[in-house]
Amino acid sequence: MFSDLQRPPLNARFLTGRLVRPGSFWTQIDVLDETESTNAVVAAAASAGAPEGLVVAAEHQSSGRGRLGRTWTTPARSAVLMSALLRPTGVSPARWPWLGLLVPLAVAAAVRRVGEVPALVKWPNDVLVEDRKLAGILLERVEGPAAVVGIGLNVTLREAEKPHPAATSLALEGAATIDRATVLAAVLRELSTRYQAWVAADGDPDTILPEYHELSATLGQSVRVELPDGTYLEGTARDLAADGRLIIDTPEGPRPLAAGDVTHLRAG
């Protein structure tokens, strides 16, 4: 039994049957009722030698993390909260940062396909509907070497539950489906397709760039960026550098950024 009929629990056996098959990329899918952080669970598994393709989802995270040390909190069973283990050992380490751009593309593509919601990606790793945040990605490198990809995607978050006015969910956007299992499976399928193509090309950014330009909410926009040291700069987000950094055209000239908190500025 579950208390909220609009928020049924995920079924690990059902998801495994859909996604873990001979020849498929995903090797194991676990669903936890509650954990502090799915990224922490997968990172520990990676350190213990778990193979690529492990996925851990959670109905609730008590200490979910976002970028720049922020927290990510949602009501239980209202979101897709999961982490995946990737081991792109055949890819040059200099190209690993592109993973942080590939993953939100996969999330946006999945949302557009099964939810019929016009999701876009905001550099470096958010998924938006217009200027409302639908999903966030946290990518961490761990010993192995390995990458742990954390995804938090709001599905049935209600207006009264929004942690911030700019947050949104598939339900609030009138998505064609708010079934979390369907959304989770779609995200993993889109992610495996893009990831495997990227690895096969030795991390070549050209496997990502055309779609990134198509679905970017940031490129071509006037932006204000808060840098890690607390300073700000303003300019136009022109393009991505060869290493995935965002190039901002400022009055002082182009500035490539490896990290920062971007705000899209509206004309007028």
Side-chain angles (χ1 to χ4, degrees):
M1 297 293 292
F2 42 89
S3 58
D4 191 331
L5 293 178
Q6 294 181 351
R7 289 173 174 165
L10 293 170
N11 186 310
R13 181 178 297 179
F14 173 75
L15 290 168
T16 297
R18 292 182 68 175
L19 294 161
V20 181
R21 298 174 180 174
S24 67
F25 176 77
W26 303 111
T27 57
Q28 180 179 337
I29 298 179
D30 296 332
V31 177
L32 307 178
D33 185 55
E34 182 170 347
T35 187
E36 290 187 358
S37 164
T38 56
N39 261 36
V41 173
V42 173
S47 297
E52 183 175 59
L54 167 67
V55 177
V56 174
E59 303 287 24
H60 180 64
Q61 288 188 129
S62 58
S63 300
R65 291 172 291 142
R67 289 178 53 249
L68 305 177
R70 298 190 179 110
T71 58
W72 176 280
T73 58
T74 57
R77 301 196 303 272
S78 69
V80 168
L81 304 171
M82 64 178 174
S83 297
L85 174 57
L86 305 177
R87 293 187 183 273
T89 52
V91 175
S92 168
R95 288 179 166 176
W96 277 43
W98 284 97
L99 266 179
L101 303 177
L102 181 155
V103 179
L105 275 181
V107 175
V111 165
R112 295 172 78 94
R113 180 165 63 83
V114 300
E116 300 177 16
V117 169
L120 298 172
V121 294
K122 174 187 174 185
W123 187 91
N125 48 20
D126 286 342
V127 178
L128 308 180
V129 180
E130 295 182 354
D131 281 333
R132 300 179 293 277
K133 183 173 178 177
L134 180 68
I137 315 298
L138 178 63
L139 183 69
E140 297 181 296
R141 257 192 225 205
V142 296
E143 292 299 323
V148 177
V149 175
I151 298 171
L153 168 60
N154 291 324
V155 179
T156 62
L157 186 75
R158 299 162 184 148
E159 188 70 33
E161 297 170 331
K162 289 165 54 170
H164 188 277
T168 192
S169 68
L170 293 180
L172 291 173
E173 297 298 333
T177 182
I178 54 171
D179 178 75
R180 287 189 302 143
T182 298
V183 175
L184 185 153
V187 169
L188 290 179
R189 288 186 177 120
E190 298 289 348
L191 176 55
S192 64
T193 297
R194 285 161 179 75
Y195 173 72
Q196 290 178 95
W198 178 75
V199 169
D202 187 26
D204 188 343
D206 285 343
T207 63
I208 300 171
L209 282 170
E211 185 180 28
Y212 196 91
H213 281 90
E214 178 185 353
L215 296 185
S216 176
T218 301
L219 297 182
Q221 299 297 313
S222 295
V223 297
R224 185 171 191 256
V225 186
E226 181 181 0
L227 303 176
D229 64 3
T231 62
Y232 291 83
L233 64 81
E234 291 188 5
T236 300
R238 173 163 55 86
D239 206 348
L240 298 177
D243 57 2
R245 289 184 295 173
L246 181 66
I247 300 174
I248 305 292
D249 285 337
T250 73
E252 293 75 33
R255 177 88 175 268
L257 301 177
D261 198 8
V262 174
T263 299
H264 297 160
L265 302 178
R266 293 183 176 273

